[in-house]
């Protein structure tokens, strides 16, 4: 049996896994108001749970990358999604801080594997010219998951309660394994269902042999050497300062809407998706805008203009929230939150790309990986901070994050005078 375009079926399954991933992680914020009451836990406990997830998520990024290199993407995805799906289901059996911390930790470890697994799979299944499309399909799963999660979770909660909702969500992830193992029998080189034409397309467009030799001979700079360049600190500090924006809305927006406007889970679900839809648009438009600028301007100018404009939109959004959101106009908050998330996604893709603008070869991964770790630390600090200062009002949190955005943009301009390679070769 041969299947035409098998690679597109593979990436479609990874897209579905990403949607499931985001539905599973979004469930906690949406179900917390009722879940917290039943378990006798408050916002301080919720902040701890967010940090447990973030800590294991950061660790899981590194561990899962090693795992996928060891056992391959086929079995690696099975391990990741089974771990996070079982962890999601086990939320139903949590009884307090310790048991909930364990399942949140397992969820973070499992969910982290989706990203290195997708990147590695795309490298195996797609020719170079199609990898950007494949990556776009995969990344869209995160946005789609955020958009549909409120509707799915509210429907399940309304009909079955929060405990059964977690069990159902976990079961869906385990069921995903069946078509994955059925279709993804092997790599393209050995898969019995790949047509000769598709196999030739994939293998003929792999990295040129001469380029591969050069990359093999390259040696990564030491971590100390990378950090000796102030440009590296520009990337790290920018990620540190701006990353809490995304995680604030991902972790705290449902709690804020419930506390500030007394919205039910159903009402939150019926409006929150608007903000995330704007976030998805920001990601696409930001990438397009930067590329458009590069037709006439340098990489340095294009990146800094895009990052600055995104930061400005975030600043305007938060100032609007502080100034104009009152007790009864929660839709104003939804739209302004959407503006903030649009601006964040508009800018952050360019921030993440700077590592490859500054360094070559393995050094790019070293800096990017370190930036990912830093980007997980600052939201943990934010969660601790917000859990203690939002007992009366969220305004101090909004002000703190607004200042953080300004510091993030300034980090790029002050520490990276010009976005260009810091050295022409790697010793």
């Amino acid at each position: 049996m041969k299947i035409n375009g098998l690679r597109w079926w593979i990436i479609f399954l990874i897209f579905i896994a990403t949607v499931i991933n985001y539905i599973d992680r979004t469930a906690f914020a949406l179900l917390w108001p009722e879940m917290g009451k039943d378990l006798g836990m408050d916002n301080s406990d919720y902040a701890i749970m967010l940090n447990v997830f973030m800590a294991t998520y950061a660790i899981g990024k590194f561990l899962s990358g090693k795992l996928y290199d060891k056992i391959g993407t086929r079995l690696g995805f099975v391990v990741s999604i089974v771990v996070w799906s079982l962890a999601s289901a086990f939320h139903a059996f949590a009884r307090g801080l310790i048991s909930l911390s364990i399942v949140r930790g397992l969820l973070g470890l499992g969910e982290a594997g989706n990203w290195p697994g997708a990147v590695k799979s795309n490298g195996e299944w797609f020719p170079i010219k199609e990898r950007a499309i494949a990556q776009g399909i995969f990344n869209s799963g995160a946005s789609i998951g955020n958009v549909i999660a409120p509707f799915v979770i509210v429907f399940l909660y309304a009909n079955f309660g929060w405990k059964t909702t977690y069990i159902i969500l976990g079961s869906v992830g385990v069921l995903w394994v069946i078509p994955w193992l059925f279709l993804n029998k092997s790599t393209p080189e050995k898969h019995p269902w790949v047509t000769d034409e598709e196999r030739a397309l994939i293998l003929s467009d792999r990295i040129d042999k001469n380029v591969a030799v050069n990359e093999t001979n390259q040696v990564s700079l030491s971590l100390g050497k990378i950090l000796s360049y102030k440009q590296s600190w520009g990337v790290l500090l920018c990620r540190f300062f701006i990353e809490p924006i995304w995680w604030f809305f991902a972790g705290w927006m449902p709690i804020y809407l419930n506390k500030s406007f007394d919205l039910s889970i159903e009402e939150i679900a019926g409006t929150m998706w608007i903000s995330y839809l704007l976030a998805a648009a920001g990601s696409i438009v930001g990438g397009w805008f930067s590329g458009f600028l590069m037709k006439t301007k340098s990489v340095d100018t294009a990146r800094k203009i895009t990052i600055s404009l995104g930061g400005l939109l975030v600043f305007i959004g938060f100032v609007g929230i502080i100034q104009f959101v009152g007790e009864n106009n929660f839709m104003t908050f939804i739209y302004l939150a959407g503006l903030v998330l649009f601006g964040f996604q508009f800018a952050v893709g360019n921030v993440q790309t700077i590592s490859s603008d500054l360094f070559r070869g393995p050094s790019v991964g070293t800096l990017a990986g370190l930036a990912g770790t830093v980007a997980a630390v600052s939201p943990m600090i934010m969660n601790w901070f917000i859990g203690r200062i939002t007992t009366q009002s969220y305004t101090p949190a909004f002000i703190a994050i607004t200042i953080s955005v300004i510091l993030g943009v300034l980090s790029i301009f002050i520490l990276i005078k010009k976005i260009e390679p810091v050295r022409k070769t790697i010793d």
Side-chain angles (χ1 to χ4, degrees):
M1 182 176 70
K2 301 292 183 180
I3 298 178
N4 290 324
L6 183 59
R7 66 192 186 281
W8 299 108
W9 286 100
I10 298 295
I11 193 61
F12 176 73
L13 285 176
I14 294 176
F15 163 82
I16 296 298
T18 308
V19 172
I20 295 171
N21 186 294
Y22 261 80
I23 291 175
D24 286 358
R25 73 171 65 182
T26 304
F28 189 63
L30 288 169
L31 297 175
W32 177 255
E34 293 301 320
M35 185 179 178
K37 289 179 183 178
D38 289 350
L39 297 179
M41 302 172 74
D42 57 20
N43 273 9
S44 295
D45 298 314
Y46 179 76
I48 293 173
M49 294 303 100
L50 292 182
N51 282 347
V52 168
F53 176 87
M54 288 300 304
T56 56
Y57 188 77
I59 296 170
K61 284 287 184 74
F62 174 78
L63 294 180
S64 59
K66 295 292 185 181
L67 176 69
Y68 280 80
D69 285 339
K70 185 74 173 179
I71 67 177
T73 55
R74 183 176 187 262
L75 294 180
F77 261 106
V78 173
V79 172
S80 292
I81 199 165
V82 167
V83 168
W84 97 56
S85 296
L86 290 178
S88 181
F90 287 158
H91 278 62
F93 305 99
R95 293 293 178 268
L97 185 66
I98 295 176
S99 57
L100 190 56
S101 296
I102 292 173
V103 296
R104 293 302 295 171
L106 288 174
L107 186 74
L109 284 174
E111 290 204 337
N114 194 65
W115 274 257
V119 173
K120 186 175 178 65
S121 180
N122 289 345
E124 294 171 347
W125 278 95
F126 286 87
I128 294 173
K129 62 185 179 183
E130 291 181 349
R131 287 179 192 170
I133 298 174
Q135 193 71 9
I137 294 172
F138 151 65
N139 280 332
S140 68
S143 298
I144 298 300
N146 268 326
V147 170
I148 70 173
F151 300 100
V152 173
I153 294 166
V154 166
F155 172 81
L156 293 175
Y157 168 77
N159 287 277
F160 305 105
W162 68 265
K163 292 184 179 181
T164 304
T165 295
Y166 276 118
I167 294 173
I168 293 173
L169 293 177
S171 300
V172 171
V174 174
L175 290 174
W176 176 91
V177 172
I178 298 174
W180 174 256
L181 290 177
F182 179 74
L183 283 175
N184 192 10
K185 294 181 179 297
S186 181
T187 57
E189 293 89 339
K190 302 177 181 178
H191 201 299
W193 295 351
V194 177
T195 64
D196 293 338
E197 293 79 9
E198 185 174 23
R199 182 180 288 109
L201 173 66
I202 295 171
L203 300 182
S204 65
D205 200 24
R206 291 275 171 88
I207 296 175
D208 183 79
K209 292 182 179 180
N210 293 329
V211 175
V213 170
N214 290 337
E215 288 185 349
T216 301
N217 291 336
Q218 287 181 342
V219 177
S220 174
L221 297 173
S222 67
L223 181 60
K225 186 65 176 178
I226 291 174
L227 293 179
S228 70
Y229 293 99
K230 64 180 181 180
Q231 294 94 325
S232 299
W233 287 99
V235 174
L236 297 177
L237 287 176
C238 186
R239 289 294 303 277
F240 179 87
F241 285 123
I242 71 170
E243 205 70 25
I245 299 169
W246 178 263
W247 290 99
F248 171 79
F249 288 102
W252 291 94
M253 184 155 64
I255 309 300
Y256 170 78
L257 291 172
N258 173 260
K259 179 179 179 180
S260 299
F261 304 105
D262 197 29
L263 298 185
S264 66
I265 292 178
E266 292 81 2
E267 290 170 324
I268 293 171
T271 56
M272 197 171 70
W273 64 271
I274 298 173
S275 301
Y276 285 111
L277 194 61
L278 288 169
S283 179
I284 297 170
V285 176
W288 169 84
F289 183 73
S290 178
F292 174 78
L293 291 179
M294 287 181 192
K295 293 180 180 180
T296 57
K297 302 182 184 299
S298 67
V299 172
D300 175 72
T301 301
R303 295 246 187 270
K304 287 180 177 177
I305 289 176
T306 306
I307 293 169
S308 299
L309 184 54
L312 178 62
L313 293 174
V314 171
F315 179 83
I316 293 172
F318 270 121
V319 170
I321 290 173
I322 295 169
Q323 292 293 323
F324 302 116
V325 174
E327 292 185 3
N328 299 316
N329 56 346
F330 69 90
M331 285 305 301
T332 301
F333 174 81
I334 291 295
Y335 290 122
L336 288 172
L339 177 62
V340 171
L341 291 174
F342 180 96
F344 171 80
Q345 292 289 8
F346 191 91
V348 75
N350 284 271
V351 176
Q352 293 169 336
T353 307
I354 292 177
S355 296
S356 60
D357 296 330
L358 299 176
F359 294 95
R360 296 180 178 181
S363 301
V364 175
T366 301
L367 178 57
L370 183 60
T373 300
V374 168
V377 171
S378 56
M380 293 172 63
I381 298 173
M382 176 203 70
N383 290 333
W384 177 87
F385 180 68
I386 291 176
R388 283 158 177 76
I389 68 169
T390 57
T391 55
Q392 300 298 325
S393 170
Y394 278 76
T395 299
F398 295 146
I399 294 173
I401 298 176
T402 303
I403 295 172
S404 185
V405 172
I406 297 172
L407 294 175
V409 175
L410 288 177
S411 298
I412 297 295
F413 279 85
I414 294 174
L415 295 174
I416 310 178
K417 297 299 183 182
K418 187 175 183 180
I419 300 175
E420 62 180 359
V422 296
R423 54 191 294 168
K424 300 300 181 182
T425 60
I426 295 178
D427 296 335

